[in-house]
Amino acid sequence: MKPFTSLTSIAAPLPEADVDTDIIFPARFLLLLNKDGLAEHLFHERRRTGDEPKFVLDTPPFDQAKILVAGKNFGCGSSREQAVWAIADFGIRAILAPSFGEIFFSNCLKNGILPIVLESLPHERAMKAAFAQRALTVDLETQTVSLGEGEAIRFELDAFARQMILLGLDEIGVVLAEDQSDIAAFEARQRSEAPWLDLSDGRLEALRDAIPGDARDDLF
Amino acid sequence: MSNDRSSHRAETASAAPRTLYDKVWDSHVVKTYDDGNCLLYIDRHLVQEVSSPQAFAGLVAANRTLRRPSAHIAVADHAVPTMGREKPLPEGLAKRQVSRLAQNAERFGVNYIRMQDHRHGIVHVIGPELGFTLPGVTLVCGDSHTSTHGAFGAIAFGIGASEVECAMATQALRQRKQKRMRVTLGGALPHRVAVKDVVLALIARIGAAGGVGYAIEYAGSTVGALSMEARMTLCNMTIEAGSRIGMVAPDEKTFAYVKGRLLAPTGLAWDKALASWRGLASDPDAVFDKEVALDVSVLAPHVSWGTTPEECAPVDMPVPDPAAERDPSRRARMQRSLDYMGLKPGAPLAGLPIDRAFIGSCTNGRIEDLRLAAAVARGRKVAAHVAGIVVPGSASVRLLAEAEGLDRIFRDAGFEWRDSGCSMCVAMNDDRLNPGERCASTSNRNFEGRQGRGGRTHLMSPAMAAAAAIAGCIVDIRDL
């Protein structure tokens, strides 16, 4: 994960409620196997219409925006992390909204994208600043968004997530380094107290090789 | 570990009355960090083809192993075709994705269920069928409808690919505890009103973000009377209200459903598990952060008219008028939805012509759903201009339906009878709407483009979708 401390950019305004992850990244592109290069399909249906006015991310100067100001419940719906990878690939590193879909929110944090929750009044001001094409500064050290013209908003973020993003750390690596013995101890306790949860006794083997004449290797 | 008495951590916490969610949570806390977040142990993980390739690639890149292979089951459900399964998959992206899952499963020692296998199906249908889903467990999957498994009194939630990778590498996830909401459902369901109608009515009331930040427990006399299939539909749709977690306390119905399943405990282990599971109910004086009550006895069948599940209404109501909405952001949202859906304010929902009907998905692709739809389809014909497909949620559901003769009823009525998979709920295979087509659908999301670019989805119950297919337009099932 790329570390993030501070970022100054104009912000693209998308004042629409309940923008779901199907809109952000349509399902048919989920067949792609990689995380890279997904910006091509970001908001695909909105950006390939030929209609005027063009979608905000195709409208200069917002095509260069590294910040998005969105409506409530942004990223609701599907758990597809491709939505976040596509946003990251486009170059956006911070999203300001009144609320987020929960899984999307969590996915943002794992990818160094800041999902910033703003109360309705500060959100309105941020949206105004975005439309006015003012440069916004998101500072993770001080947990503030500066809207230009002396306006600044403080935001909250989970302390651990903040630290991970500031340092660009890999959460899995941290858990493996610090918590493995606790996990092992938990598993030992669970094996004695709730032994029925352990499926390593061979019961899962019944799931294998159930196709008669199991030589159909070309079939999945 | 669902056994209160034997868990030290749970014992110290047991002084205060606890909710079902608290109990399952407490029994899975590996450690509590200074900031109040917890490392939550994950008992079960369902692996599918869409959210796992990048996670497996991450393990490989970091030279990490899968901590506990027996905690995972892999199956391809999103990208698989629902017809022509006896033939090899055609070359292309779908084949590449499905074969990648099979290869990864092989490489990491995860049991993989093939699409020709009689245990194949949508992850959220086969987890319970196999007895992989159990009361009191923590279960995750890289799919938002993982909330389905909460019907068994499990903490089950959807995660992204990064957390999939974390669960595979560590068998644990760092989580913040949710607030608790109780939704109390009272009253008897009116004739031909289904649990799908109840949950659509609930989402219309609390909104698509109404559950954000909460774990929901469904309680009340109505819930107790629901079948396991119906409880799964209820918990499945919880994510459409913004909450990742929907739960129902396990009861005798739950235990009867689980008993004898392939991976369910047997013998002494069953007795011990059962004793533990019986303690999985919210304490009578447990406090919830939010309470919602709904009387289901007055509900009509519901249909969505917009592009978020909260935009739904009783079928006997007209399409709402954005002009009557005072909140400007909501008004704009409604107008956009109506434009996309090609609807005029004030037009009656009943009578709206449809082009397609889809019966299936992890929401409504279980045997009970197919029985309800077949009861409507029996002896009738799908309207000439409508193409209807029935996609069982799993091969087991398909085989049982065929044994009951339901496939014959559907085929005779003019529906196509397909193999199991996510199909037209997510439109990642060839089952999709064409631009402008209108579909009566038993799936969970009416998002723009969800069932295919430009497609128009109307969410409804299985009986309502079958009735719409036959009438050729949205109808009030009570008039049939």
Side-chain angles (χ1 to χ4, degrees), chain B residues 28-62:
Chain B
H28 288 82
V29 172
V30 173
K31 68 191 285 188
T32 304
Y33 300 101
D34 293 341
D35 62 5
N37 287 350
C38 292
L39 188 65
L40 198 68
Y41 193 78
I42 303 301
D43 296 324
R44 302 275 192 266
H45 174 216
L46 287 158
V47 190
Q48 41 93 328
E49 74 275 33
V50 181
S51 52
S52 68
Q54 298 85 353
F56 279 116
L59 292 183
V60 172

Side-chain angles (χ1 to χ4, degrees), chain B residues 369-394:
Chain B
D369 302 312
L370 301 194
R371 286 179 189 141
L372 288 166
V376 174
R378 186 190 301 273
R380 296 188 169 105
K381 291 283 179 200
V382 171
H385 67 278
V386 173
I389 63 171
V390 183
V391 184
S394 71

Side-chain angles (χ1 to χ4, degrees), chain A residues 173-188:
Chain A
V174 173
V175 173
L176 287 175
E178 296 178 5
D179 302 327
Q180 272 208 91
S181 59
D182 293 300
I183 295 170
F186 179 93
E187 285 172 335

Side-chain angles (χ1 to χ4, degrees), chain B residues 273-292:
Chain B
L274 192 61
S276 162
W277 296 342
R278 287 192 196 285
L280 289 176
S282 290
D283 295 327
D285 39 1
V287 178
F288 290 80
D289 299 287
K290 188 171 179 179
E291 297 264 11
V292 174

